[in-house]
């Protein structure tokens, strides 16, 4: 067997699809299929169940997957070690980001990293299922690092470095009955229609946890995938929202109130898998992240 066969096998196992795996490794699908068939012949066992709608691992495939990942990780570390001796850090870092990253200057941070390590390719992908989706991709080894919002306990298998946070305030239309006040309690908000992000997003988790802690039910009637649209929905009378102050700016037509007696701190952190040490390129990016934010 060779590294290419193992790389293709891991890609299919993680993507549950030959088509997506081929796109990920930048070859045609027939090449992926042929390489895995050769690997199966060499090992004398079927690794994938191709009869289901999704490509699933057989028992032999399940046994091989962690070993294949370990071999690929070791090969990447070997390349990194030689590259550093021969003239600078090289490699690829796959990093997931939130859709609302204004709290951290991600372009500035990645620009600083690129100036220091021009030989490292940084591949970024935005969350499509919030922080929960990014955690899943970390655990599935589809990402090396991810900026996430994980209030409460850190999920099993994840190491999290908290980087920054913002407190969420209540935003209501200017003609709302609460608009004349400067602060409210969670109990004051019972029965109201809320605009919020879908389940799995960090800001939604913060709000849900705060209301649950106060034993106050909350009704979300409109879900938004882009938190920056929240002010517009509120302004147009579709509900109230809990939004971080840094995205409000000088928004017109809405009033902001402080919510008392609740923990509405929305944290942003850098997460990585706990079951493997980050490669040299990822370690370098982690160092730049902390240095950049400590300025």
């Amino acid at each position: 067997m060779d590294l290419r066969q193992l790389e293709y096998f891991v890609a299919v196992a993680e993507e549950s699809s030959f088509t997506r795996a081929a796109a990920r490794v930048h070859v045609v699908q027939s090449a992926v299929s042929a390489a895995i068939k050769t690997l199966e012949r060499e090992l004398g066992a079927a690794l994938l169940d191709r009869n289901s709608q999704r490509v699933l691992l057989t028992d032999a495939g399940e046994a091989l997957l962690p070993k294949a990942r370990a071999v690929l990780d070791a090969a990447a570390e070997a390349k990194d070690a030689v590259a550093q001796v021969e003239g600078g850090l090289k490699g690829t870092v796959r990093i997931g980001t939130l859709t609302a990253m204004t709290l951290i200057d991600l372009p500035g941070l990645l620009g600083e990293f690129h100036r220091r390590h021009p030989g490292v390719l940084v591949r970024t992908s935005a969350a499509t299922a919030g922080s929960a989706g990014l955690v899943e991709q970390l655990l599935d080894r589809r990402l090396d690092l991810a900026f996430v919002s994980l209030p409460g306990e850190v999920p099993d298998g994840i190491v999290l470095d908290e980087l920054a946070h913002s407190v969420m305030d209540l935003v209501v239309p200017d003609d709302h009955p609460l608009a004349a006040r400067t602060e409210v309690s969670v109990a004051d908000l019972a029965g109201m229609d809320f605009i919020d992000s879908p389940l799995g997003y960090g800001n939604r988790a913060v709000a849900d946890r705060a209301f649950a802690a106060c034993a106050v039910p909350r009704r979300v009637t409109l879900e938004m995938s882009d938190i920056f649209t929240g002010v517009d929905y509120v302004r147009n009378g579709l509900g109230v929202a809990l939004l971080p102050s840094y995205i409000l700016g000088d928004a017109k037509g809405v009033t902001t109130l402080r919510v008392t007696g609740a923990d509405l701190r929305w944290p942003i952190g850098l997460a990585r898998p706990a079951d493997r040490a980050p490669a040299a390129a990822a370690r370098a990016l982690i160092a730049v992240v902390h240095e950049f934010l400590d300025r």
Side-chain angles (χ1 to χ4, degrees):
M1 72 181 73
D2 59 37
L3 292 177
R4 178 179 54 84
Q5 292 170 334
L6 294 178
E7 179 188 8
Y8 293 177
F9 165 70
V10 169
V12 173
E14 293 178 350
E15 300 293 342
S16 298
S17 163
F18 280 91
T19 301
R20 290 194 297 271
R24 170 170 151 179
V25 298
H26 309 293
V27 299
V28 296
Q29 182 174 330
S30 58
V32 173
S33 180
I36 292 179
K37 286 180 179 178
T38 300
L39 179 61
E40 289 177 321
R41 283 198 302 270
E42 293 176 357
L43 294 175
L47 302 174
L48 301 169
D49 177 5
R50 299 169 176 82
N51 296 322
S52 59
Q53 290 183 344
R54 294 181 63 197
V55 179
L56 302 175
L57 290 172
T58 64
D59 289 344
E62 291 280 5
L64 176 62
L65 183 58
K67 303 298 184 182
R69 285 169 169 164
V71 169
L72 294 174
D73 287 344
E77 283 287 336
K79 290 180 180 178
D80 289 342
V82 173
Q84 291 183 67
V85 172
E86 293 298 317
L89 188 63
K90 291 182 174 61
T92 300
V93 181
R94 301 164 300 169
I95 185 165
T97 69
L98 298 169
T99 55
M101 281 291 294
T102 310
L103 191 59
I104 295 174
D105 179 9
L106 185 61
L109 190 157
L110 294 181
E112 177 68 20
F113 179 77
H114 178 68
R115 285 188 289 273
R116 296 189 190 187
H117 305 290
V120 176
L121 175 63
V122 178
R123 295 187 181 276
T124 63
S125 58
T128 57
S131 293
L134 292 173
V135 166
E136 181 179 341
Q137 292 183 65
L138 287 169
L139 295 176
D140 287 346
R141 294 178 176 246
R142 286 176 281 167
L143 292 174
D144 302 305
L145 304 169
F147 290 100
V148 296
S149 177
L150 297 173
E153 293 185 8
V154 178
D156 291 341
I158 294 295
V159 175
L160 180 69
D161 297 332
E162 186 168 330
L163 302 175
H165 72 271
S166 178
V167 175
M168 298 197 298
D169 295 318
L170 181 72
V171 182
V172 302
D174 279 344
D175 59 357
H176 193 277
L178 294 177
R181 299 171 59 175
T182 58
E183 63 181 35
V184 291
S185 68
V186 170
D188 294 329
L189 306 180
M192 292 189 180
D193 291 340
F194 273 84
I195 300 158
D196 211 331
S197 298
L199 292 171
Y201 283 65
N203 56 304
R204 173 70 177 267
V206 170
D208 286 345
R209 287 169 58 87
F211 275 71
C214 296
V216 175
R218 190 171 77 108
R219 182 173 64 236
V220 175
T221 57
L222 191 156
E223 290 187 342
M224 55 184 175
S225 58
D226 180 0
I227 195 172
F228 289 95
T229 63
V231 172
D232 295 327
Y233 287 124
V234 172
R235 182 187 297 113
N236 285 281
L238 296 171
V240 301
L242 292 165
L243 297 172
S245 56
Y246 71 86
I247 73 167
L248 297 175
D250 58 351
K252 307 298 183 183
V254 297
T255 299
T256 302
L257 299 84
R258 187 170 69 92
V259 181
T260 61
D263 181 7
L264 290 172
R265 193 175 65 96
W266 182 21
I268 302 293
L270 184 64
R272 62 186 187 273
D275 64 349
R276 66 185 188 276
R283 291 198 303 271
L285 181 53
I286 292 170
V288 170
V289 167
H290 286 285
E291 181 181 336
F292 189 84
L293 295 177
D294 289 340
R295 290 176 176 174

